[in-house]
Amino acid sequence: QVQLVESGGGSVQAGGSLRLSCVVSGFPYRPYCMGWFRQAPGKEHEGVAGVDSDGITTYADSVKGRFTISEDNAEHTLYLDMNSMKPEDAAMYYCATGPPQPRGFECVQAVPSFGYRGQGTQVTVSS
């Protein structure tokens, strides 16, 4: 049974930081396109960060330079370090995994469409 379990969400003030974690089980951890997407109330899903089957990381323009995706292959865990957070970063954050394709920037764009995803972790940012 495929499971993705996110943790690390919470409340933070603008300018603050959070680290999200996603433990993947029941699925060959790599090499696949994996990443994080978010959804805020009334808004569409947005791919935030992705790491493709070659290990290439890509980001949405809205978070580039502030967020970093990383992974611990041995622990089958994906991370998202969020720094210099803004109120517009507030959303439910999900991790997801998909096929080996797509690669590069197509990976982060595709992440919201993947069926294998966690239940999400809530992030709130106060101004």
Side-chain angles (χ1 to χ4, degrees):
Q1 181 181 358
V2 178
Q3 278 194 313
L4 293 88
V5 180
E6 303 98 337
S7 61
S11 297
V12 64
Q13 287 192 326
S17 300
L18 281 175
R19 173 176 249 206
L20 306 183
S21 300
C22 172
V23 179
V24 181
S25 61
F27 188 80
Y29 180 70
R30 297 288 268 144
Y32 293 92
C33 169
M34 301 182 65
W36 295 88
F37 70 95
R38 65 188 180 187
Q39 186 171 29
K43 295 187 177 180
E44 294 185 356
H45 291 142
E46 178 188 20
V48 172
V51 52
D52 71 12
S53 56
D54 295 321
I56 304 299
T57 58
T58 50
Y59 301 90
D61 287 342
S62 58
V63 305
K64 198 173 295 182
R66 301 187 298 118
F67 289 11
T68 302
I69 188 171
S70 61
E71 56 184 336
D72 184 332
N73 288 345
E75 297 296 326
H76 291 191
T77 301
L78 191 68
Y79 300 102
L80 184 68
D81 287 297
M82 304 185 293
N83 299 307
S84 302
M85 295 185 70
K86 304 175 180 180
E88 52 263 42
D89 293 323
M92 185 72 82
Y93 282 73
Y94 302 85
C95 66
T97 185
Q101 304 288 357
R103 287 190 167 90
F105 193 67
E106 292 178 349
C107 176
V108 65
Q109 292 179 309
V111 166
S113 68
F114 293 159
Y116 290 133
R117 56 180 62 180
Q119 293 300 307
T121 185
Q122 184 70 47
V123 171
T124 58
V125 184
S126 57
S127 57

